[in-house]
Amino acid sequence: MMGFEITDEFLGTFVPIVVYWVYSAMYICLGSLDKYRLHSRIDEDEKNLVTKSTVVKGVLLQQTLQAIIAVLLFKITGSDADAGMTQQFSVLVLARQFIIAMLVIDTWQYFIHRYMHLNKFLYKHIHSQHHRLVVPYAYGALYNHPLEGLLLDTIGGALSFLFSGMSPRTAIFFFSFATIKTVDDHCGLWLPGNPFHIFFSNNSAYHDVHHQLYGSKYNFSQPFFVMWDRILGTYLPYSLEKRANGGFETRPIKVSKDE
């Protein structure tokens, strides 16, 4: 009987899925800390247009489809199991690959994401599903229409993998990191000392602005940098203010006159 071999490709496909739910579970626990929330728990229940059970089912569907596509692609292109062994480890090479992959996926997702807002048909029938979460929370980060998941995440991830030249083994760590960052951006919390808030301007507060009605035409950048928003004039600055009843609130500093 042929034994089952756990390859780097297999791990690169399924480890980020496990990371998604483990990291989300951590934020579910932290969500009880009202003093760090960007929205109250009442707002989370009343403003969102979809139930949490539907969100869980939607995310599981998307992850299943993406895993199937990834497995099929690896079958078609062949295993590259030795790539991680043939590439000599270097911190500089690893850093370069991570930065290139981050820039590629940011560029891809910015323009696809923005176009889904500009195109009324695509927004109504595809991207609006994600914006049913007016008050984002961690495990809703990947609640998207399956076609959006294919365009943004699957194709964007494939492009970042190819252009960076990283090995399947390196990809395990990169896509796990990207998954953690995406969950963090949707966690709905502003935690003191959070390294993602320290090192990235694109964070949970920044993305929360985009999910609000006043910010739906701004802050398209995801998941790492804000460069495309700044370059192309879709950057909406905000202030983070404490609410009287606990927690924080994002408020736009300036909105264009036509808004």
Side-chain angles (χ1 to χ4, degrees), residues 12-23:
T13 300
F14 292 100
V15 167
I17 294 176
V18 174
V19 167
Y20 180 90
W21 292 106
V22 171
Y23 202 66

Side-chain angles (χ1 to χ4, degrees), residues 112-129:
I112 298 297
H113 183 196
R114 185 177 179 182
Y115 186 67
M116 284 188 174
H117 276 268
L118 295 174
N119 187 295
K120 293 181 180 180
F121 178 86
L122 290 178
Y123 184 83
K124 179 179 179 181
H125 296 284
I126 296 178
H127 188 55
S128 63
Q129 177 170 325

